Amino acid sequence: MLTTGEPAQNWAGNIIFGAARVHRPTSLDALRRIVSAAAHVRVLGSGHSFNRIADTPGDLIRTDGMPRRVEVDPAGRTVTVSGGLTYGELAAELHTHGFALANLASLPHISVAGSVATGTHGSGDGQRGLASAVSRVELVGPGGEPAVLDRAADPDRFPGAAVSLGALGVVTALTLAIEPAFEVAQWLHVDVPLDAVADRFDEITGAAYSVSTFTDWHSGRATVWRKQRADREGPADRPADWLGGRPADAPWHPIPGMPAEFCTPQLGVPGPWHERLPHFRAEFTPSRGEELQSELFLPRSAATAAFAVLRELAAELAPVLQVSEIRTVAGDDLWLSPAQGRDSVALHFTWVKDTARVLPALGAMEERLLPLGARPHWGKLTTASPADIAACFPHLPDFRRVVLDHDPAGQFRNDWVTGLLSAAEPPAAGR
């Protein structure tokens, strides 16, 4: 076990955590001792968040030193995995057993528990966020006591257990749904007119198992990245000119100037699911954290209106925006999932690493998109107040009740979580 007083920071370096101590336990017993002795605890996964969701003045715990656990249940079609493992590590081992996850995020470098807790997702009209694969959560809760929340056994609380913002305890293991392994081929269409993206959005997002569209909003052009699943969509073919665009004739990286070899194989070369569904290779670091990120989830029905807003704001966004990605996410039943209760369009923004310049542009964008039903990603930058965010999530009061019941003393809360839960507090009687 490592305990250090050195400061920790997130992946991008825009957040320096204020923890008095940083721990990296190597056993369950050590983890339980740390939690039992601490007044306030937060957990840091891969650090790929851009706000203070993981911050604490108390004890910060990293779980990537915990014993590795990947237990495949072929009959039950599940895998139980230690929370500190990355998706890249899990996927590679799962594939050796002949199984796959239905969905992966663009980065395989992120931790399983951290990704699930913040509502991280991939893309696809029929694909739900990563947390929707979870059926069981094992954690170390208040006082260092172990706890389990299970979808079948705890139907009244489980919708708040997967996307939990770290407010229920230290997640030690998750059980995820799996399916037989499959192959994917990736095609890119460049110079697709943005008018076509808006006018034929359903056709674009329905063109493959997973589809991402990249644009800068001011050039009038986009690149559409199709991930075609071989066992469902047939053999991959080099696509003809499509929607006014043309097929890419060389590998491509979403951020201008970044090496394309960081990306997973493209140009229609089929390969294993875990080497194609992410945008980036597990063996490469896609960038050095020289960026900030934000993301908004809107009802799919609001996509065309949101695109119009972003094109109107394009000149204001251009000086600080590196690239924007459009993805789709199927609705789910998890209380704090940004796609809860509705099929969604997710608008992701990769900004330059300059918070002072980015926040005014982000604020102008959110001012226009929040009234359309936008929900901010839990791990990204936002200018929205806790009250504004609370208004976006109708089940936040339900989540608040579960948190207060599970951790009444607030051992796993920080100012960020407390502010959010306070915004969901019902008004006092007589008010």
Side-chain angles (χ1 to χ4, degrees):
M1 178 182 70
L2 169 68
T3 301
T4 175
E6 296 178 3
Q9 65 182 38
N10 68 337
W11 173 81
N14 67 306
I15 299 292
I16 305 297
F17 298 113
R21 291 160 297 278
V22 179
H23 308 271
R24 190 171 180 262
T26 56
S27 70
L28 182 59
D29 286 343
L31 172 60
R32 292 184 62 187
R33 287 195 299 271
I34 293 167
V35 173
S36 66
H40 296 286
V41 176
R42 293 295 286 172
V43 181
L44 180 64
S46 52
H48 201 267
S49 292
F50 296 81
N51 57 34
R52 294 199 171 274
I53 186 172
D55 202 11
T56 177
D59 292 79
L60 190 64
I61 297 176
R62 305 187 68 109
T63 59
D64 57 347
M66 295 286 288
R68 180 186 180 93
R69 183 179 176 190
V70 180
E71 299 170 2
V72 176
D73 177 2
R77 295 286 179 91
T78 64
V79 60
T80 298
V81 55
S82 44
L85 222 58
T86 68
Y87 270 98
E89 293 168 328
L90 167 61
E93 184 159 345
L94 188 59
H95 187 71
T96 66
H97 292 271
F99 287 99
L101 300 170
N103 202 3
L104 288 171
S106 59
L107 279 175
H109 311 75
I110 52 181
S111 69
V112 177
S115 303
V116 165
T118 54
T120 299
H121 61 99
S123 188
D125 284 358
Q127 304 307 310
R128 298 179 297 175
L130 303 183
S132 291
V134 178
S135 60
R136 178 182 170 93
V137 179
E138 301 175 30
L139 49 83
V140 171
E145 293 301 312
V148 173
L149 289 165
D150 183 274
R151 177 176 280 278
D154 305 287
D156 296 333
R157 295 188 300 164
F158 189 81
V163 185
S164 65
L165 315 182
L168 300 179
V170 183
V171 174
T172 55
L174 295 158
T175 299
L176 313 174
I178 58 176
E179 61 183 79
F182 53 90
E183 287 200 333
V184 173
Q186 302 189 94
W187 296 104
L188 284 102
H189 304 261
V190 299
D191 291 330
V192 176
L194 267 181
D195 289 339
V197 174
D199 295 342
R200 302 172 70 174
F201 186 62
D202 289 348
E203 181 179 350
I204 288 174
T205 65
Y209 182 74
S210 175
V211 177
S212 293
T213 299
F214 293 86
T215 184
D216 57 14
W217 296 110
H218 65 84
S219 66
R221 296 284 171 174
T223 295
V224 179
W225 194 334
R226 297 191 304 125
K227 298 173 185 283
Q228 184 172 317
R229 184 165 166 166
D231 62 332
R232 294 186 182 179
E233 299 167 312
D237 297 315
R238 178 176 171 84
D241 293 352
W242 182 54
L243 300 179
R246 56 184 174 80
D249 55 10
W252 177 84
H253 192 291
I255 298 179
M258 293 298 293
E261 59 262 32
F262 289 172
C263 296
T264 51
Q266 303 164 15
L267 304 180
V269 178
W273 60 281
H274 65 293
E275 296 179 357
R276 298 296 187 278
L277 286 180
H279 297 338
F280 303 105
R281 296 176 186 259
E283 63 268 29
F284 287 110
T285 301
S287 72
R288 296 181 299 276
E290 293 301 315
E291 62 191 59
L292 301 174
Q293 295 181 10
S294 67
E295 187 167 28
L296 296 170
F297 297 69
L298 291 98
R300 186 174 177 123
S301 59
T304 301
F307 298 165
V309 166
L310 292 169
R311 297 186 76 176
E312 290 173 14
L313 294 174
E316 189 171 348
L317 304 181
V320 290
L321 181 64
Q322 297 192 59
V323 73
S324 179
E325 181 179 7
I326 306 165
R327 290 177 285 182
T328 56
V329 188
D332 60 49
D333 65 346
L334 303 175
W335 292 339
L336 294 194
S337 166
Q340 186 277 325
R342 66 192 197 190
D343 292 340
S344 300
V345 55
L347 304 175
H348 186 277
F349 302 85
T350 299
W351 308 97
V352 300
K353 190 177 174 181
D354 189 333
T355 303
R357 293 174 60 212
V358 167
L359 288 182
L362 176 57
M365 183 179 69
E366 291 185 327
E367 183 179 8
R368 298 281 301 275
L369 295 182
L370 287 177
L372 297 179
R375 295 170 177 168
H377 188 296
W378 295 114
K380 311 290 186 182
L381 287 179
T382 182
T383 64
S385 68
D388 289 337
I389 297 174
C392 299
F393 290 87
H395 287 283
L396 188 58
D398 299 313
F399 178 74
R400 178 180 179 274
R401 285 192 292 271
V402 169
V403 170
L404 295 183
D405 178 64
H406 182 82
D407 181 19
Q411 186 178 13
F412 294 99
R413 298 198 285 279
N414 59 4
D415 289 345
W416 189 93
V417 173
T418 297
L420 184 69
L421 298 185
S422 295
E425 184 177 1
R431 282 166 45 188

